[in-house]
Every structure is written in C-alpha cells, then in structure tokens.
Amino acid sequence: PAAEVVESWSPEQRAEMARMLDRLVERPVPGRTAPHRRLLVLLVTLGGAALLFPWVAYLSAALPESSSGGSWRTAWVGYDVILAVALATAGWLVWHRRQLAVVALSVAATLVLVDAWFDVTLSWGTSEQWGAVLTAALVEIPVASVLAVGVVGMLRRTVAMMRRLRGQDPSMGSLWSQPSVVRPVHDGAERSLPAGR
C-alpha cells in the first residue's frame, strides 16, 4: 500500500513530500487573546530591557565597589546586564516569531525571579526590605508570570500544530501529558513520533 511506497523513498524524497504537504496543512487559528498576549510579552521584554540599561548605568555609579570582601558592584551590575540582554534577546525572538523564543523567555523569567529572590533576601532586616518586597510582588513576579504565560502559549500552539500534522485532533489536555516531538531509536538516532502516539 501507500505506506510501503513512501517507506521505499529516499530520505530526501520523503522530506520534499513533507514540505509540500506542510504548505497545504491548515494552521491552527490562535485565540483572540493571542495577539494581545504577544503584544504584552513584547512590551515586557523590550520595555524591561530599555529600562534596565539606564538602571545599570545608575548602579555602576551608586553601588559600593565591594561589600564583605566581594565585588558587590560587579556582581549586581553584571547580573542586571545579563538580565537586560536576556529580555532584549527574548523580545527580538518574539518579534521575529522564532521558536527559540521559548528558551529565551524561560531564561528571562528565571532571571527575573532570581533577581527578586536576591533583592528580598539580601535586603531582609534592612531599611530597604519592604521596598524589595513590594518590587518583587508588584513588578518582578508579575513580569516573570507574563513571560511564563508566553512560553506556555507558544508550547501549546506548537503542540497543536504537531498534532494537526500527525492527523490528530489539535485540541489537547495539559502540556504535562504531551510526549516529546522526537524520541530515541535503537541505533541512537532520533525520529519523529508516528501519528497516534
């Protein structure tokens, strides 16, 4: 039957057929909130990066050079530079609709939460404690949540597309129950999961 004929094709022939069919497959239509969610993620990433760069300049001048024998200024300024670059990179990838945005948004969300953690714990018991708590609660945790929701949305749309290409119902349950797109085979190579798995 048809499956045996396709299996007899070279990998290049199968890839060409897959590309041709991919152009003909109807793409899932995102919900009405998806464009607003993307705009919010762009605002948070690019806006956050734009605000952080002047903040880094301020910290460079305001922080003491060292504290308790360590290079306090280098640690905090360097961390905020990394955070600003992560947010800018994530924003650029979301703007250009790149799949790697999933990784960049995950990294940026983690860095924002780590920043909140250190701000709160290192200011605990000082005059800056409640400012750090409020900043974490009102800015950093909501920002990390927006980035995480962006990741989940991209993953859900990717899984829906994969399910549609496999001839499955694109609607799905929890992301926790979704199998990997690829799985190892006995010879160590990886291949796509067949339809229905």
Side-chain angles (χ1 to χ4, degrees):
E4 291 177 2
V5 172
V6 172
E7 285 177 4
S8 71
W9 293 354
S10 71
E12 293 80 17
Q13 290 171 315
R14 287 194 298 265
E16 178 58 33
M17 179 58 75
R19 285 190 293 274
M20 185 179 71
L21 291 173
D22 179 57
R23 288 190 296 269
L24 300 175
V25 171
E26 186 179 321
R27 300 290 193 235
V29 177
R32 281 190 282 184
T33 59
H36 297 97
R37 190 178 304 133
R38 180 173 179 268
L39 184 60
L40 181 59
V41 169
L42 284 168
L43 180 65
V44 166
T45 54
L46 298 176
L51 290 173
L52 271 173
F53 284 114
W55 175 249
V56 164
Y58 166 75
L59 284 183
S60 297
L63 282 177
E65 180 60 37
S66 62
S67 176
S68 304
S71 185
W72 190 256
R73 183 188 306 165
T74 303
W76 281 113
V77 169
Y79 189 88
D80 283 344
V81 167
I82 291 168
L83 177 55
V85 169
L87 286 169
T89 301
W92 187 91
L93 290 166
V94 170
W95 177 266
H96 290 282
R97 299 181 187 273
R98 300 287 201 264
Q99 193 65 34
L100 202 55
V102 170
V103 175
L105 288 170
S106 299
V107 168
T110 303
L111 289 172
V112 170
L113 288 177
V114 170
D115 191 34
W117 169 259
F118 281 113
D119 286 345
V120 170
T121 57
L122 293 176
S123 67
W124 203 258
T126 71
S127 61
E128 298 172 354
Q129 171 184 330
W130 293 111
V133 169
L134 285 174
T135 301
L138 300 177
V139 178
E140 292 165 319
I141 292 173
V143 163
S145 299
V146 167
L147 301 178
V149 167
V151 169
V152 170
M154 288 184 69
L155 289 174
R156 289 185 69 80
R157 288 190 296 279
T158 300
V159 169
M161 188 68 238
M162 292 302 300
R163 290 180 63 83
R164 184 170 295 238
L165 289 171
R166 291 177 179 155
Q168 301 167 335
D169 180 3
S171 60
M172 61 180 179
S174 167
L175 278 175
W176 290 102
S177 65
Q178 299 305 311
S180 175
V181 175
V182 294
R183 67 177 177 165
V185 292
H186 297 298
D187 64 3
E190 291 187 336
R191 65 183 175 88
S192 296
L193 288 171
R197 295 279 174 115

